[in-house]
Amino acid sequence: MEDKLGIRTDVLGCFGANGKLANELLSYNENRFQRAAVNLSHFPLPDESFVAAWREYARATEEECTIDALGKYLVQFRFPIQAAISESEEYLAATRRGMDTNGMKLAVGLSLRNPRQCRLTIHSTAAGCVPILTAQERDDFVTLVQALTHRNEPHFVPESMGACMVAGFNNWHRIFRLRDCFMATASPDDSWIEEFKRIKSQKELYQDRFIILSTGPYSAVNASDVGFDEEEWLSISLVIRREHECTHYFTQRVFSSMRNNLLDELIADFMGITTAIGRFRSDWLLRFMGLESFPSYRNRGRLQNYRGEPPLSDAAFTILQKMVVAAAANLEDFDRHHALDFQCLQIRAAMLLMLTALSVEEMAARNANRIMDAAFVHALQVLESQRVSRDTGPNADRIATATTEWYIADAGSKAIDKE
C-alpha cells in the first residue's frame, strides 16, 4: 500500500509548499472520516431518535400553516434576535435550565418576515431521515440561523452562506417528555434530579440534528453567470444546497465527521452538482468558491469560509486555491469518464465512498486519475463484498438492488456548514 503521507507531501511540494508551510497544509487537509466501522450492507440507516419529535413539529407547522408553531416546542423561537440576549438571566434560565418562559419579559417571540413561507419537512436520506427548515426569504434564513446556532444573537451571516447543518442542539421539549414519563412511573423515593444527571450523559436522548436552507441562488451566484434564467437557477440551487447538506449529514452519521473544511466541501458540492444536473462542472465549483478568475480570488467567495481555526496563513491559503483549481479539473475529468455509469446507482454509492477515502492533495495530484481509479475500484469491491456477505437466499439480488437504489437516491439528494 502506498504511503499516503508521502504522496500528500510530494504533491504539496509540487505546489510550492515545503517545511512549515507543508506541515500547515498537511494538518488542515487531514482526512478525518472514520471509515473502519462502516458497513454498507445496512442502508438505509434507521432514523435517529430525534426524528420522531420533529415529525410532530412538522405536522404542527403544516396544520397551522406557519413555522411560528415551533414556538410551542423550541425555546429559541420564543426570543427575538437581540444583542447580548444570550447573556441575560431569562435567556440562560430558559435555554440552560429549561425554565418556563411564561412571564419572561424578553420572551416576546422570534420575529420572522414571512413565517408562512417557511417550511419544515422531513427528508429521507441513506443515513436516515433528517428535518429541514427552508426559508423563502433571505432575512428569515438569517434569523433562523441566528436563533438556532448563535443563541439569538445578531451574528453576521455572510451572503455566500445559504445553508447550514445544526448539530448538538439541546431540545428541552424532548427533555420535558422524558421528565413526564419518569414522573408518571417513578416511586416516591425516585429523584428527577438524579435521573436528569443520568440522562445528560446520553446526548442522543435530547440533542438533535437538522438542516436550515435558504432558497436563494447557490453560493450567491447569479443565474446569468451560469447560463440559466433566474427561476431555473433557483430550482437547481435548492437541489444542490439540499444534497450538499444531506451529504454532510451522511458523513457525520456514517463517518463521524463533518467540518467546515475544504475536503468536506469538495465532496458535498460534487454530490450536490451531480445530483442536480447529472454531471460535475468544475467551473461551477470554482465560481462557488470565488476562483472563477484564478489566479485572482474574488473577495467574499466561499473558500474563505473554510480557512479553519486558527485560519490558514496567507501563503497556505494561496496554495490551497491552486489545489482547488487542480482538484476541480481532476474531478470533472473523472466524472466525464464515468458519467454514463451514473445510471447505475451502485456506481454513485462507490463514488461517495471514493471521495471520502481521498485527501485534497490526492484529488489535486498530477496523477489523480490513477489515484481516483484505484480508490473507485476499491469502493466497488467493498460494496460488492458487503452485499455478498449480507444477502443470501432467492431474493438476494433484488434486495441488494433495492437497498443500493435507496442509498443513492437521497445520499446525493455543529456546528454550521457555511455553504
Side-chain angles (χ1 to χ4, degrees):
M1 183 175 179
E2 292 181 287
D3 174 22
K4 289 179 74 73
L5 180 59
I7 293 172
R8 295 176 61 207
T9 302
D10 290 344
V11 172
L12 286 170
C14 292
F15 282 96
N18 296 286
K20 290 184 178 179
L21 193 55
N23 289 334
E24 182 182 3
L25 285 163
L26 284 171
S27 176
Y28 171 82
N29 287 329
E30 180 183 0
N31 184 321
R32 297 184 185 176
F33 296 122
Q34 300 176 24
R35 304 173 57 83
V38 175
N39 185 342
L40 293 178
S41 66
H42 292 92
F43 286 117
L45 296 179
D47 294 344
E48 294 190 85
S49 57
F50 60 80
V51 175
W54 283 81
R55 289 188 188 280
E56 177 185 345
Y57 306 164
R59 287 193 296 269
T61 60
E62 184 176 0
E63 289 171 359
E64 298 186 26
C65 300
T66 175
I67 205 168
D68 283 338
L70 286 179
K72 295 185 293 186
Y73 309 103
L74 306 183
V75 174
Q76 290 78 2
F77 271 75
R78 303 172 198 170
F79 291 91
I81 303 302
Q82 182 176 307
I85 194 170
S86 66
E87 301 171 6
S88 68
E89 286 298 324
E90 289 186 348
Y91 190 87
L92 291 172
T95 59
R96 293 191 179 181
R97 300 193 296 275
M99 299 294 290
D100 191 342
T101 57
N102 287 333
M104 289 187 179
K105 294 181 179 179
L106 291 176
V108 296
L110 186 65
S111 179
L112 293 164
R113 176 170 293 189
N114 198 344
R116 292 184 176 274
Q117 292 300 312
C118 296
R119 295 180 293 115
L120 170 59
T121 56
I122 308 299
H123 186 65
S124 297
T125 80
C129 291
V130 60
I132 298 181
L133 288 163
T134 304
Q136 292 290 330
E137 302 245 3
R138 174 70 189 180
D139 287 348
D140 287 343
F141 168 76
V142 171
T143 296
L144 290 172
V145 170
Q146 291 171 336
L148 298 169
T149 70
H150 294 291
R151 299 184 297 169
N152 292 77
E153 295 280 351
H155 182 87
F156 173 70
V157 176
E159 188 65 29
S160 60
M161 177 182 171
C164 72
M165 171 72 71
V166 182
F169 179 83
N170 292 329
N171 188 337
W172 280 99
H173 177 250
R174 293 178 67 205
I175 294 174
F176 294 152
R177 286 254 172 107
L178 293 171
R179 181 195 61 190
D180 293 343
C181 288
F182 174 81
M183 297 303 292
T185 59
S187 68
D189 294 332
D190 290 336
S191 167
W192 165 245
I193 294 177
E194 292 302 315
E195 175 68 6
F196 184 55
K197 290 179 181 178
R198 185 189 67 80
I199 288 173
K200 284 176 66 177
S201 66
Q202 302 178 63
K203 293 183 178 180
E204 70 278 4
L205 295 178
Y206 62 91
Q207 286 194 346
D208 302 354
R209 281 189 281 204
F210 54 91
I211 293 168
I212 308 175
L213 299 180
S214 69
T215 58
Y218 191 73
S219 294
V221 169
N222 293 325
S224 59
D225 292 332
V226 288
F228 289 97
D229 62 48
E230 186 172 350
E231 183 177 355
E232 188 174 15
W233 177 233
L234 288 177
S235 178
I236 292 172
S237 291
L238 186 58
V239 175
I240 297 176
R241 185 171 285 125
R242 185 190 68 212
E243 306 311 323
H244 177 113
E245 294 304 320
C246 287
T247 300
H248 286 311
Y249 179 69
F250 179 91
T251 64
Q252 174 62 44
R253 191 172 185 198
V254 177
F255 299 120
S256 301
S257 181
M258 177 190 70
R259 298 181 295 154
N260 287 327
N261 180 275
L262 176 60
L263 177 60
D264 294 60
E265 293 305 300
L266 287 175
I267 295 169
D269 265 8
F270 181 92
M271 298 305 293
I273 294 169
T274 55
T275 301
I277 63 171
R279 64 188 180 94
F280 180 71
R281 290 192 54 167
S282 60
D283 59 331
W284 284 18
L285 184 136
L286 296 182
R287 186 171 292 278
F288 298 160
M289 293 294 175
L291 291 167
E292 68 274 10
S293 299
F294 181 80
S296 296
Y297 174 73
R298 172 170 45 83
N299 188 35
R300 298 177 69 183
R302 259 178 58 210
L303 187 60
Q304 67 195 54
N305 294 341
Y306 313 118
R307 290 187 70 156
E309 290 295 339
L312 284 174
S313 64
D314 289 344
F317 188 57
T318 297
I319 290 176
L320 193 69
Q321 294 172 32
K322 298 178 183 178
M323 295 175 70
V324 171
V325 173
N330 291 334
L331 286 168
E332 184 172 273
D333 184 61
F334 183 86
D335 174 76
R336 186 182 302 113
H337 285 89
H338 294 276
L340 293 178
D341 295 334
F342 284 164
Q343 300 304 315
C344 172
L345 296 175
Q346 188 173 6
I347 299 299
R348 285 187 57 78
M351 183 65 75
L352 184 55
L353 286 183
M354 179 206 76
L355 292 171
T356 54
L358 299 177
S359 64
V360 173
E361 289 86 1
E362 289 170 308
M363 292 182 187
R366 292 175 180 173
N367 63 338
N369 58 338
R370 180 182 64 80
I371 295 173
M372 290 183 183
D373 280 340
F376 189 52
V377 169
H378 178 70
L380 285 171
Q381 292 171 341
V382 169
L383 279 172
E384 180 62 17
S385 65
Q386 293 191 351
R387 180 189 69 80
V388 171
S389 66
R390 183 200 64 180
D391 295 333
T392 58
N395 294 324
D397 290 340
R398 179 184 60 79
I399 294 172
T401 300
T403 301
T404 303
E405 288 178 354
W406 213 104
Y407 167 40
I408 288 306
D410 294 291
S413 335
K414 208 178 193 78
I416 297 179
D417 167 53
K418 299 178 180 178
E419 176 272 303

